[in-house]
Amino acid sequence: MEQAHPDGHLAHLRGLLSAYMAKKGLRSTEQRRVIVERFFESPAHITIEELLAVVRSADPRVGYATVYRTLKLLAECGVAVERRFGDGVTRYEVANDDHHHDHLICVECGTISEFEEPAIEALQEEVARRHGFAVKSHKHELYGTCAACQARAKRR
Amino acid sequence: MEQAHPDGHLAHLRGLLSAYMAKKGLRSTEQRRVIVERFFESPAHITIEELLAVVRSADPRVGYATVYRTLKLLAECGVAVERRFGDGVTRYEVANDDHHHDHLICVECGTISEFEEPAIEALQEEVARRHGFAVKSHKHELYGTCAACQARAKRR
DNA sequence: CTCATTGCAAATAATTTGCATGTAA
DNA sequence: TTACATGCAAATTATTTGCAATGAG
């Protein structure tokens, strides 16, 4: 939607991944390639189960442990970001270093949307400074009801 | 540390609990009383396992399912707050409605400290408003290294 | 050829639940 | 007495791991 270089971005991530694999002596296999490509095409906040379904539609023989292992690998090398919201499942999104964001989670319909607020990030750094704390990452999630669910509730 | 009415606060929570139990027809048992009292004396962010150990030192016959069930009950009626940080265990703290806070989690030593920043809360409400989203609760956690761990790292 | 990788099933780990027995009210 | 509560063990859920077979380099 507001992607400046859609292909350049994925190309960069592919580079990251192969550099990491080369450094670690890891191998490029058919299932890793399928999983990674499908992941790149997936909407944000996909679960392992959802991704497995998509991957199996391309190759039914892929085991679910392989999807877990591959996404862990992608997370390790910075190609994927792991997210855990309140519902017990881990979700993944394609990394985008210069465009990190936080989340609004609708407790009615489960829709997850994103927001960015530089002023919050700045204040958060300020808080950390007061505590002598060096922030590596953060999680900021707002749980509540989205506009659509509020409208639906009002309508009845 | 900055508690205005330390006893009044617990008294209020005890009131909440017994009102809830009365409304639901629940019973006051020996194990519930022990668990609740020990919980009130515990430091913030205690885990079920930690609390179970303390409870068993008072009464070795308490089962761990009872601790789970009792803390779930406390969370339902607003006496306890459930927190899940990245490590897979659920932690609990005694509720304090007029003093909610967020967390700094040290990824080195695991220490969890707290912060309050009204300006962040305000901005967060502003973000929600822009999205037509009604916030019910939120989670704001900073992961990184605490002052002590940074000092320890520098020292070597 | 060698060693990483895979699929499967079994193992974990935290939490939940079924059920016979115990016990508040 | 009448359900609610408890303790235990078994069930669940998401994820991880051991291992023999497979396949990349």
Side-chain angles (χ1 to χ4, degrees):
Chain A
M1 204 163 257
E2 56 212 82
Q3 196 73 280
H5 6 257
D7 297 307
H9 180 231
L10 290 187
H12 171 238
L13 295 180
R14 279 188 241 272
L16 262 185
L17 175 58
S18 44
Y20 185 81
M21 290 180 69
K23 190 178 61 182
K24 293 266 189 173
L26 305 180
R27 292 166 183 177
S28 175
T29 65
E30 186 54 28
Q31 25 283 72
R32 278 181 182 165
R33 282 186 296 267
V34 177
I35 293 167
V36 170
E37 289 312 312
R38 296 294 166 163
F39 175 58
F40 282 162
E41 296 166 358
S42 299
H45 319 122
I46 195 168
T47 64
I48 293 287
E49 185 149 40
E50 289 163 349
L51 183 55
L52 177 62
V54 175
V55 165
R56 277 192 169 156
S57 75
D59 181 347
R61 304 188 39 190
V62 176
Y64 69 124
T66 303
V67 180
Y68 272 102
R69 288 188 270 229
T70 302
L71 277 148
K72 207 172 158 187
L73 165 62
L74 294 182
E76 274 167 29
C77 66
V79 167
V81 179
E82 278 188 329
R83 303 276 187 188
R84 250 172 293 260
F85 302 116
D87 62 355
V89 266
T90 302
R91 290 162 190 280
Y92 291 86
E93 54 185 68
V94 178
N96 189 339
D97 284 332
D98 46 46
H99 190 285
H100 65 84
H101 56 256
D102 291 289
H103 297 88
L104 296 153
I105 299 110
C106 180
V107 297
E108 293 288 324
C109 65
T111 300
I112 300 166
S113 46
E114 305 176 351
F115 73 89
E116 270 182 281
E117 183 46 76
I120 291 179
E121 314 268 315
L123 280 167
Q124 166 183 290
E125 264 311 319
E126 166 58 25
V127 165
R129 195 174 325 117
R130 285 205 296 267
H131 288 255
F133 191 92
V135 179
K136 288 221 172 73
S137 68
H138 73 268
K139 177 179 286 197
H140 193 175
E141 296 156 9
L142 311 187
Y143 293 86
T145 45
C146 68
C149 285
Q150 287 174 62
R152 182 156 30 75
K154 205 165 292 173
R155 196 178 311 134
R156 54 187 58 180
Chain B
M1 205 167 257
E2 57 212 82
Q3 196 73 280
H5 6 255
D7 297 307
H9 180 232
L10 291 187
H12 172 239
L13 294 180
R14 279 187 242 271
L16 263 185
L17 176 57
S18 44
Y20 185 80
M21 289 180 70
K23 192 178 60 183
K24 292 266 189 175
L26 305 180
R27 293 167 183 178
S28 174
T29 65
E30 185 53 28
Q31 25 284 72
R32 277 181 182 165
R33 281 186 296 266
V34 176
I35 293 166
V36 170
E37 288 313 313
R38 296 294 166 164
F39 175 58
F40 282 162
E41 296 165 359
S42 300
H45 319 123
I46 195 168
T47 65
I48 292 287
E49 185 148 41
E50 289 163 349
L51 184 56
L52 177 61
V54 175
V55 166
R56 279 194 167 153
S57 75
D59 182 346
R61 306 189 37 191
V62 176
Y64 69 123
T66 302
V67 181
Y68 273 103
R69 288 188 269 228
T70 302
L71 278 148
K72 207 172 160 189
L73 165 63
L74 294 183
E76 274 167 29
C77 65
V79 167
V81 179
E82 278 188 329
R83 303 277 186 187
R84 251 171 293 260
F85 302 117
D87 61 355
V89 265
T90 302
R91 291 161 190 278
Y92 291 85
E93 54 187 64
V94 178
N96 189 339
D97 285 333
D98 46 45
H99 191 284
H100 66 83
H101 56 258
D102 292 290
H103 298 89
L104 296 152
I105 298 109
C106 180
V107 298
E108 293 288 325
C109 65
T111 299
I112 300 166
S113 45
E114 305 177 350
F115 73 90
E116 270 183 280
E117 182 47 74
I120 291 180
E121 314 268 315
L123 279 166
Q124 166 183 289
E125 265 310 318
E126 166 59 25
V127 166
R129 196 172 326 116
R130 283 205 297 267
H131 288 255
F133 191 91
V135 179
K136 287 222 174 73
S137 68
H138 73 268
K139 178 180 283 195
H140 194 176
E141 297 156 8
L142 311 186
Y143 294 86
T145 45
C146 67
C149 286
Q150 287 173 63
R152 182 155 33 73
K154 205 165 289 171
R155 197 178 311 134
R156 52 189 56 180

